[in-house]
């Protein structure tokens, strides 16, 4: 049922979720007091260092592993939205899945803050380097997905109310 507006909302969530998977969310930059300027980007695929190659040769590489929670959450958002599109005949189940999807979008920020906190503390303890962090454009994608999910849920429940009222008339 591609002509329904909630289907278009859910399809937009799928596209944004796939984009979020490859987009960096937080940028970490070492402070000037550490001597060498280093930059790291946190995304669903892990942490990447964006330091120029000539400086990188003399520096000790920093490894931050285990962002599987962020990866799983980022992968579940478009997957559940895609499943939700094909449940158009079961509107109440579709609305419940949308509520779970909205909670998952909110939970994404909790997981993101947890990883940002742990990465910053880990690098400070092991490499004696202070990090400043900035939020990248990709961090707003789950918020947009949350708004679209709430809009789709309202439209699904509106359709359910319309079907129930039509059944009462018969």
């Amino acid at each position: 049922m591609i002509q329904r507006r909630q289907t278009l909302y859910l399809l937009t969530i799928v596209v944004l979720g796939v984009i979020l998977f490859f987009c960096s969310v937080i940028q970490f930059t070492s402070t000037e007091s550490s001597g060498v300027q280093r930059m790291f980007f946190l995304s669903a695929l892990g942490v990447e260092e964006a330091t120029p190659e000539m400086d990188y040769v003399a520096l000790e590489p920093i490894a931050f592993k285990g962002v599987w929670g962020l990866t799983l959450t980022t992968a579940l958002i478009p997957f559940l939205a895609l499943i939700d599109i094909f449940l158009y005949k079961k509107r109440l189940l579709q609305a419940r899945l949308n509520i779970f999807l909205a909670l998952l979008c909110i939970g994404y920020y909790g997981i993101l803050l947890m990883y940002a906190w742990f990465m910053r503390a880990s690098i400070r303890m092991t490499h004696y380097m202070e990090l400043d962090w900035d939020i990248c454009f990709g961090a707003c994608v789950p918020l947009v997905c949350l708004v679209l999910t709430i809009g789709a849920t309202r439209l699904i429940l509106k359709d359910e109310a319309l079907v129930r009222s039509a059944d009462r008339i018969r």
Side-chain angles (χ1 to χ4, degrees), residues 73 77 99-111 142 146 150:
T73 307
I77 290 173
I99 291 169
F100 180 71
L101 186 61
L103 291 175
L104 193 64
C105 289
I106 293 170
Y108 177 86
Y109 286 113
I111 292 171
L146 175 68
I150 291 170

Side-chain angles (χ1 to χ4, degrees), residues 20-28 39-49 64 66-67 70 108 111-117 119 134 136 138-139:
L20 176 65
F21 201 75
F22 299 105
C23 190
S24 62
V25 182
I26 295 180
Q27 172 188 349
F28 295 97
M39 288 178 23
F40 306 95
F41 292 99
L42 176 67
S43 68
L45 300 175
V47 177
E48 297 176 11
E49 187 168 2
F64 184 74
V67 291
L70 195 62
Y108 177 86
I111 292 171
L112 181 65
L113 288 176
M114 181 186 71
Y115 280 121
W117 180 268
M119 181 181 170
D134 298 315
C136 296

Side-chain angles (χ1 to χ4, degrees), residues 16 27 32 74 82 89 114 124 131 148 154 159 169:
L16 287 175
Q27 172 188 349
E32 294 296 326
T74 307
L82 187 65
K89 289 185 180 179
M114 181 186 71
R124 183 183 310 141
L131 291 178
L148 289 173
R154 291 184 68 201
D159 279 356
I169 294 173

Side-chain angles (χ1 to χ4, degrees), residues 42-86:
L42 176 67
S43 68
L45 300 175
V47 177
E48 297 176 11
E49 187 168 2
T51 307
E53 291 297 324
M54 61 183 167
D55 292 338
Y56 188 71
V57 176
L59 299 176
E60 178 183 342
I62 293 177
F64 184 74
K65 298 179 182 176
V67 291
W68 59 269
L70 195 62
T71 305
L72 182 68
T73 307
T74 307
L76 274 177
I77 290 173
F79 180 71
L80 289 178
L82 187 65
I83 288 175
D84 207 8
I85 291 172
F86 295 107

